[in-house]
């Protein structure tokens, strides 16, 4: 089903802002067809969206198939980091460094650029310690470290591993094309925030890709990545982040966020969902994603952390709550 949601952000009793959210859900099974909605045909793929970091599990596929974890003794925690937009805490950084060390690489090889931790709590700790932003703190450093390990295993040059035409980027694109059932030449490419490729696909195809990921439709390697993410949701993002808390609330659900308001969700029965906040305001996802899962899949998501997210609290500089948010769905 393809539809749209509206998130209204209130300050006091008045509506201060509105965010429109495009969404798509797919049926059970690995075929991943969007159901007809709003007079549209079942084949309607919905709007094109840049997948951003929601693509990370699919970008990691080729490396898992090439035996990178076995070659370098990487475990499930390292695979979770390969799929992560992590919080940049010491726990995250430690595992990124383990991937690099196992492959004989160093932090100097990371081409993602320096960044502060994505997790606000970790960023406060970093500033208090007087530390500076660093590439290893970048939320994409796990993907980059795993990519460097893949390049090392294959004997590809490490220099320029993020560049167009590098075999690592082609291999990662192949995983995305397989998951979304789009031929590699049909993917619309652009440069992501970390310097690697990102891809634009119809939203229904992204929803179907997450259904395949969660249900074994991407083979044993996809199942390994799903198992790693669901076993370590705290490594995929951080405490209080939407995808982490969705996976904690429903241990058989896999979820991954992307920049500019993108989210993918998959279930073991093959159902998938994708959401895109049209103005890029990620805060709208926190409100609408739990509602979509509950209303369209009849799955109860009960956790204090998700309750806090879906309320969309608006706080002032004194920490006082002065407003909140609410979502409505339309097919």
């Amino acid at each position: 089903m393809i539809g749209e949601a509206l998130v209204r952000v209130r300050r006091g009793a008045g509506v201060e802002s509105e965010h429109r959210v495009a969404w798509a859900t797919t049926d059970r099974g690995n075929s991943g067809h969007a159901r007809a909605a709003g007079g549209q045909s079942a084949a309607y793929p919905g709007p094109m969206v840049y997948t951003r970091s929601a693509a990370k599990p699919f970008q990691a596929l080729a490396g898992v198939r090439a035996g990178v974890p076995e070659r370098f003794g990487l475990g499930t925690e390292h695979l979770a980091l390969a799929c992560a937009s992590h919080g940049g805490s010491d726990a995250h950084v430690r595992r990124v460094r383990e991937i690099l060390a196992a492959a004989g690489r160093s932090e100097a090889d990371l081409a993602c650029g320096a960044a502060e931790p994505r997790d606000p709590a970790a960023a406060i700790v970093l500033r208090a310690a007087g530390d500076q932003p660093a590439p290893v703190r970048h939320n994409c450093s796990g993907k980059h470290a795993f990519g460097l390990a893949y390049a090392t295993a294959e004997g590809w040059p490490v220099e320029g591993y993020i560049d167009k035409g590098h075999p690592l980027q082609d291999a990662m694109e192949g995983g995305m094309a397989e998951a979304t059932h789009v031929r590699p030449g049909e993917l619309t490419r652009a440069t992501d925030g970390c310097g690697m490729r990102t891809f634009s696909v119809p939203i229904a195809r992204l929803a179907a890709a997450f259904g395949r990921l969660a249900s074994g439709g991407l083979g044993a390697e996809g199942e390994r990545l799903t198992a790693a993410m669901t076993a370590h949701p705290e490594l995929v993002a951080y405490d209080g982040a939407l995808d982490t808390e969705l996976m904690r609330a429903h241990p058989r659900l896999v979820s991954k966020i992307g920049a500019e308001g993108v989210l993918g969700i998959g279930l073991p029965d093959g159902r998938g969902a994708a959401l895109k906040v049209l103005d890029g305001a990620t805060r709208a996802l926190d409100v609408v994603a739990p509602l979509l899962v509950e209303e369209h899949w009849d799955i109860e998501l009960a956790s204090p952390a998700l309750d806090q997210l879906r309320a969309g609290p608006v706080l002032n500089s004194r920490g006082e709550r002065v407003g909140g948010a609410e979502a409505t769905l339309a097919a």
Side-chain angles (χ1 to χ4, degrees):
M1 182 175 288
I2 295 169
E4 192 171 285
L6 179 64
V7 176
R8 291 185 173 92
V9 181
R10 297 183 179 275
R11 183 173 295 271
V15 175
E16 184 171 41
S17 302
E18 293 184 341
H19 306 292
R20 292 167 52 217
V21 184
W23 57 264
T25 58
T26 60
D27 289 330
R28 289 177 172 86
N30 292 329
S31 58
H33 294 302
R35 290 177 286 140
Q40 299 155 344
S41 72
Y44 173 64
M48 299 288 289
V49 300
Y50 278 109
T51 56
R52 304 298 298 271
S53 284
K56 285 176 178 174
F58 314 120
Q59 290 173 301
L61 265 178
V64 177
R65 287 181 175 153
V68 173
E70 291 73 25
R71 169 75 180 273
F72 297 117
L74 304 179
T76 56
E77 294 180 345
H78 303 113
L79 290 182
L81 259 295
C83 301
S85 296
H86 65 74
S89 70
D90 288 345
H92 296 118
V93 167
R94 180 172 68 252
R95 290 168 176 85
V96 174
R97 287 173 172 157
E98 288 170 355
I99 298 172
L100 292 169
R105 311 298 346 160
S106 73
E107 293 178 41
D109 294 315
L110 292 171
C112 51
E116 279 200 333
R118 179 171 166 245
D119 177 2
I124 290 171
V125 171
L126 184 78
R127 294 187 204 112
D131 291 341
Q132 297 299 312
V136 75
R137 299 279 179 185
H138 195 295
N139 74 86
C140 297
S141 64
K143 177 176 77 170
H144 281 249
F146 190 72
L148 284 164
Y150 186 12
T152 300
E154 296 293 333
W156 297 330
V158 170
E159 185 70 25
Y161 74 89
I162 67 172
D163 294 343
K164 177 182 177 181
H166 193 285
L168 174 65
Q169 295 304 310
D170 291 340
M172 287 182 163
E173 181 175 324
M176 188 67 195
E178 176 191 348
T180 57
H181 285 192
V182 176
R183 288 179 291 184
E186 295 176 338
L187 287 170
T188 301
R189 305 173 188 85
T191 303
D192 211 336
C194 65
M196 285 197 184
R197 285 182 188 168
T198 187
F199 314 99
S200 178
V201 299
I203 193 170
R205 290 190 181 269
L206 183 59
F210 272 88
R212 295 183 188 104
L213 176 68
S215 64
L218 299 178
E221 297 82 7
E223 290 181 321
R224 287 181 68 181
L225 291 168
T226 292
M229 294 173 70
T230 55
H232 303 288
E234 75 286 353
L235 297 181
V236 175
Y238 56 90
D239 293 348
L242 177 61
D243 39 4
T244 290
E245 300 304 341
L246 283 170
M247 289 188 283
R248 282 175 169 165
H250 192 286
R252 300 185 70 208
L253 175 154
V254 65
S255 181
K256 182 69 191 71
I257 202 167
E260 294 295 315
V262 177
L263 180 72
I265 303 171
L267 292 174
D269 61 10
R271 284 179 289 178
L275 301 91
K276 163 64 180 172
V277 186
L278 298 181
D279 64 7
T282 300
R283 67 178 180 176
L285 288 178
D286 297 341
V287 184
V288 74
L291 180 66
L292 181 68
V293 171
E294 290 179 340
E295 287 203 0
H296 282 272
W297 290 344
D298 196 27
I299 293 173
E300 183 178 355
L301 296 173
S303 78
L306 276 183
D307 289 344
Q308 174 78 359
L309 287 169
R310 77 174 83 204
V314 177
L315 306 178
N316 66 13
S317 59
R318 294 160 50 87
E320 300 165 334
R321 180 169 175 171
V322 295
E326 60 188 18
T328 56
L329 299 179

